[in-house]
Amino acid sequence: MGGLLSRFGGAPQKASPPEGEDAPLAPIRSSDVERRAGLLDSLEKSDLGWFWASDRAGRLIYLSGPAAERISESTESLLGTKISELFLDDKDAEDSSTQRPLKFQLAARNSLRPTIVKIERGGKTKWWEISGAPMLADGDAFSGYHGIARDVTATIASQRNAEKLSRYDSLTGLANRHRITHKLSATLSAFQVAKRSCATMLLDLDRFKQVNDTMGHPAGDELLKQVSQRLTRIVGDQGEIGRLGGDEFQILLPDVEDRAVLGELSERIIQMLSQPYSINGMRAVIGCSVGVAVAPFDGIESEELIKAADLALYAAKGGGRGQFRFYSSDLRDKASHRHQIEEDLRDALSKNELEMHFQPIVSADEHRVVCVEALMRWNHAERGMVSPADFIPVAEEVGIIRELGEWAINDVCQKVASWQSGICAAINVSAVQFASDNFFDIVKKALQNSGVDPSQIELEITESVFVGDIERALRMFRELKEIGVRLALDDFGTGYSSLSYLRDAPFDKIKIDQSFVRGCTEEGNNNGAIVSAVVSLAKALNMETVAEGVETKDELEAVVSFGAARIQGALFARAMPEQELRERLDKGALLFEPKGPEKYRSDRRTEFRKIGLIHEDSRYSVFLRNLSKTGAKIEGLLDVPIGTDIVLDLGGGQLAVAKVRRSEGFSQGVEFETALVSDGADGLCTRHRVSPYQIEAAGRPLGALNDLAVAAITGAMSKSPKAFIEVDMSVPGEQMAAQAY
Ligand code: C2E
Ligand code: MG
Ligand code: MG
C-alpha cells in the first residue's frame, strides 16, 4: 500500500519517469479498494480528519492512529473503551445547558451532528469535534457507530479565554456585570417555570472612595481583591458573586427565600468585610451596605428585582451604612415620597410652611430649663407635619439647606431677642451649610439685625464637618467663638471618630446621641459605659454634656448617675411651638417634671398600624399596637377567646400564624408560632411570605406581591358570617403625636 499512499497527501512523491510531471493520475474508482484505503490512510495521517468506530455495545473498535497519538495513547490501549467514557460532554460550552448529553444520544442511537467533546487522558484535556452515524447491519440491526473526528483544542482554548475575559472581571476574577445580569435573567426565567425562588443581594462598600483617594488606586485594587476573596469564602457554593464595577457587588442565591437565612448571611458579610485589611503593610477599614430582594416576591423579572434590591440598598445606606435592608413596597413609596418632598421643599419657605419649634434642655439636678433646641417643622399643606429627619437630608442633597438654614438662624435670633427670660437657644447647622462661604457672614448679620446677645445663641454642629477641610473648620470655629456664640457638638459618637478634633475645637458642649442613651440601662449593653466615658472626656476638656432623647425614668436615672449635666428628651418635654414655650417662660414655669414610662423595653416596639386578621374564613381589620419577635398586641375585636388560632396579615405577603394568649375587651395579646426576624432596620418581618406562585395558583395574574391579591386569597372574599365583632378604632390624638416622633 506504501507505493499507492505516496501518491496522496504529504509523503514525498517518487517520480515515475514514464508518466512525466503532468501526467494525470488514473481516477480512483469505488471498486478500487486498495486506492480508496490509501486515500483514507493519508487523510488520517494528515490530521485533516480521523475515524472512529464502535460496536453495538458502544465500545471503541477503531480509532485512527494519529488521533490516539494526539492523546498520548496507543490505539491498542484505547480499543474496547466505552465511547461514552472517552468522549465527554463539554459542560463549559455556551450551549451545554440546551444540548442533550452525549450518553443520551448514544443510547438513543441518534446520529451525531458535529459536537464538541472533551477528552481527558493522561492528565491532559483536549477538545475534539466529532460526528457519527449509527450503522445498521443486515436486517436493520444496529451494529455500532462510524464517525469522524478532528482536534479543535487550539480554537476552543482561545475561544474560552476570550469568553472568560468577556464574562469575568479581570481584577477579581468574579463574574462581571454582563455575566451576572445574564445569569440572573436566565435563572429567573427558568425558575419561574419551576416555581422556585431566587434571592439577590446588592452590596456597596462604604468609605471605599476614601481608601482609593488617600492610599492610591493600586491600594484600592488590592482592597477589592481582598473583598472578593472574603465574599467568595462566605458565599461558597451557595450562590454566584459578581462585581458590577467600582465598589459594587451582586450575589445571586438560588432557592433562598427565608429572610432569617438572608438576614444572617447579610450580617455575616457586613461583619467580615468590615474587619481591617492589610494592604502593602498599611491598614484600611471599610464598611459595607447590603440591599436584599427575593424573586418572585419582590419582582418576577430581573429588571424589577434589581430595582427592588437597589431601593433596599439605598435605604440601607440612608439608614447609616453598615446595615442590610430587605426590600419592601414602602421603600418604593418612600422613594416617590422623597421625590415629592424634593419638589415641594422648593416652595416651602415662600409658602410660609416652615416654623421653628423649641425643645427644652433641663439641668440634671433641678430639671430647670437652661436652654432650648430649635427644631424645624414643616407643616405641609396636604401631608401635614413632615419630619425634619425626612426633609433635612433631601434639603442637604439638593442644596436648599443653605436657604433653610439662613432662614432658621434669622428666625431664631429674632425670637430669642424678644424673650425676657434670657435663656439660650441652640440652632442646628448642617455640614453643607457650614461649608458654604458666606456662613460666617450670615451668622454675624443675624446677630446684628436681631440685636440678640450672642451668648444666647448656640450652634449645633455634627461630626461630619470634620470630613473635608479641617483647617477651615477649626478657623471657622475660632471666628464664631470670637463673635461670642457658643458651639455644641451634636449627635456625638454617631459619625467619624473625632477625639483628636475635640482637643482642638473650642466646643462648649457635647450632645450624646440618643442611640447611646437608648438601652444604656440594660444589662450587657455597652451604651452605659460609652455615656460614662464621654462625660469624663467632656469634663476633662471643660465641656458640658447633654444626654439627648431621654424617654424613660430609668434612662434619666442612668444618665444622671453617669454624670450628664443636662438632659433633653420626651420625658421632660417635646419640641413645642414658640408661643407655648413663651407662655411657660413668661409665667416663670421653668421647672419640668419627668413624665413618662418607668422603663425602656427594647423588645417592644410601639406601632399604630392597621393590619389584617384572619380567623377561619373571615378577614378582619385590626390595629397593631405593639410588636415583638414573639408576639403582638392587637386591638379592634371584641372578646376573642383565649386559645383562638388566628393569622395576622402584616402586609406585603407576611402572614404570621398566632394564638391568642391574653384577651381583655377589645384588646388581645397573641403569640406567634414562628418568631419574626429583623428587617435590617428597626422593624421586624416574617421569615417567609405568601408566594406569588400561590396567588397565581388561586387564579390571579403572576406579579410581585401586593396586599390586595394577598387579602383576596386569604379570606376577604368569604361570605361566611364573622365570629367576632369588629370595633372601630381611630387613633387617639396623643398616640398620633408619639407616632410623629
Ligand atoms: P437633632 O439635632 O439630634 O435633634 C434632636 C432630635 O431628637 C429631634 O428630632 C427631637 O425632636 C428628637 N427628640 C428629642 N427628644 C426625644 C425623645 O425623647 N425621643 C425621641 N425618639 N426623639 C427625641 P427632630 O426634631 O425630628 O429632628 C431631627 C433632626 O433633624 C435633628 O436631630 C437635626 O439633625 C435635624 N434638624 C432639625 N431641625 C433642623 C434645622 O433647623 N436645621 C438643620 N440643619 N437640621 C435640623
Ligand atoms: Mg441638634
Ligand atoms: Mg442630636
Side-chain angles (χ1 to χ4, degrees), residues 150-317:
R150 69 189 179 102
D151 189 313
V152 289
T153 305
T155 327
I156 293 289
S158 76
Q159 194 178 326
R160 287 291 146 82
N161 198 23
E163 271 168 21
K164 196 168 163 118
L165 285 179
S166 72
R167 287 192 281 160
Y168 292 88
D169 171 41
S170 55
L171 180 67
T172 61
L174 298 175
N176 64 15
R177 181 187 284 273
H178 172 76
R179 181 180 157 88
I180 199 96
T181 308
H182 179 261
K183 186 88 190 254
L184 179 67
S185 322
T187 307
L188 291 189
S189 7
F191 278 24
Q192 193 178 324
V193 178
K195 308 219 177 309
R196 288 161 68 181
S197 52
C198 177
T200 187
M201 290 182 174
L202 286 182
L203 276 63
D204 191 288
L205 304 183
D206 304 330
R207 294 188 296 276
F208 173 73
K209 197 179 167 308
Q210 267 121 303
V211 173
N212 227 8
D213 290 350
T214 56
M215 295 171 71
H217 285 266
D221 282 357
E222 174 58 27
L223 181 66
L224 288 172
K225 275 194 217 163
Q226 293 190 24
V227 165
S228 316
Q229 285 158 3
R230 290 189 191 182
L231 280 177
T232 310
R233 236 176 298 141
I234 305 166
V235 176
D237 52 13
Q238 283 183 83
E240 172 146 8
I241 313 166
R243 177 171 167 235
L244 301 178
D247 60 350
E248 282 174 51
F249 295 83
Q250 183 181 345
I251 304 176
L252 295 191
L253 299 157
D255 295 312
V256 188
E257 57 95 26
D258 184 339
R259 290 192 286 187
V261 173
L262 289 166
E264 268 167 36
L265 184 62
S266 306
E267 259 167 14
R268 210 162 59 230
I269 289 174
I270 293 167
Q271 210 187 11
M272 293 289 283
L273 295 194
S274 309
Q275 301 300 315
Y277 296 79
S278 161
I279 294 165
N280 307 331
M282 287 195 289
R283 234 169 78 103
V285 182
I286 54 161
C288 168
S289 304
V290 182
V292 188
V294 190
F297 310 87
D298 305 320
I300 309 277
E301 308 288 340
S302 71
E303 209 174 303
E304 197 183 7
L305 193 69
I306 289 295
K307 213 167 177 185
D310 210 23
L311 275 173
L313 175 62
Y314 183 78
K317 286 202 277 188

Side-chain angles (χ1 to χ4, degrees), residues 484-501:
V485 296
R486 290 161 52 88
L487 297 178
L489 183 59
D490 201 359
D491 304 342
F492 184 72
T494 57
Y496 309 82
S497 92
S498 55
L499 290 182
S500 58
Y501 308 140

